[in-house]
Amino acid sequence: DVKVTQSSRYLVKRTGEKVFLECVQDMDHENMFWYRQDPGLGLRLIYFSYDVKMKEKGDIPEGYSVSREKKERFSLILESASTNQTSMYLCASSSGGGTTSYEQYFGPGTRLTVT
Amino acid sequence: AQSVTQLDSQVPVFEEAPVELRCNYSSSVSVYLFWYVQYPNQGLQLLLKYLSGSTLVKGINGFEAEFNKSQTSFHLRKPSVHISDTAEYFCAVRKYSSASKIIFGSGTRLSIRP
């Protein structure tokens, strides 16, 4: 069965802390994504990666960075957390290559609160 | 650029009643279309997708959607809803030529009343 796991379901951090959110997929997918979900705004893409060590900015990359050292793992980093980064963070993955990457598979999400 | 509009942020319906969740998209190129569902405290899962062929697409849990190219719409329907359908529903679009990026709508919260 397809599986995307995220390191934490709930996380509380203080302003200014460095925060790591981890995502692991077991489907050998090339593409991985980080979204944030806020009420009334849907899902907004932060960063995505189409290969190991490759990354591209999404629609709202400011204040975030990512790391992909292994194919199955994609990390989101908040260098200095701020209260406006309180949100639900969703990781997803999809197969790569041309027209085959139709569907994204999602993890359960991490609800991050920055105080 | 593409965009996706879900016209209703919330839709309340009675159990066993029919429901339609509306979705319109804008794109100057051909697209793939998706509906995802998010149950409380869970991630998103695919409900159905339109890639090509028949414009009426059937998905899981009795849902179906119809692609209307002239109206650039992809409305989701179910003839009789159940309490278990309470969730948030997201319409999404992907360009044929896109590397993999999907654009999501803002979501419609479906609440079922007994």
Side-chain angles (χ1 to χ4, degrees), chain A residues 9 31 33 35 37 40 42-43 45 48 90 94 98-99 101-104 106-108, chain B residues 32 34 36 38 41-44 46 49 51 88 90 94 99-102 104-106:
Chain A
R9 291 299 305 272
N31 305 313
F33 308 82
Y35 295 91
Q37 181 182 12
L43 275 70
L45 182 65
F48 72 101
L90 292 167
S94 71
T99 59
S101 53
Y102 301 135
E103 176 180 349
Q104 292 187 9
F106 284 82
Chain B
Y32 299 124
F34 308 83
Y36 282 82
Q38 184 180 33
N41 298 315
Q42 294 186 27
L44 278 68
L46 186 69
K49 59 191 175 188
L51 307 178
E88 190 154 22
F90 293 92
R94 177 191 160 239
S100 284
K101 287 174 63 174
I102 292 179
F104 287 86
S106 56

Side-chain angles (χ1 to χ4, degrees), chain B residues 31-98:
Chain B
V31 295
Y32 299 124
L33 295 156
F34 308 83
W35 275 98
Y36 282 82
V37 59
Q38 184 180 33
Y39 297 106
N41 298 315
Q42 294 186 27
L44 278 68
Q45 65 182 84
L46 186 69
L47 204 53
L48 49 79
K49 59 191 175 188
Y50 172 77
L51 307 178
S52 63
S54 172
T55 56
L56 184 63
V57 180
K58 293 191 183 297
I60 61 172
N61 302 338
F63 283 92
E64 63 181 31
E66 185 155 21
F67 170 55
N68 188 320
K69 189 174 182 179
S70 62
Q71 298 190 2
T72 61
S73 68
F74 191 53
H75 301 332
L76 181 70
R77 300 185 183 100
K78 186 169 182 179
S80 175
V81 295
H82 303 283
I83 292 286
S84 59
D85 293 322
T86 297
E88 190 154 22
Y89 293 79
F90 293 92
C91 183
V93 62
R94 177 191 160 239
K95 286 194 299 187
Y96 278 10
S97 58
S98 167

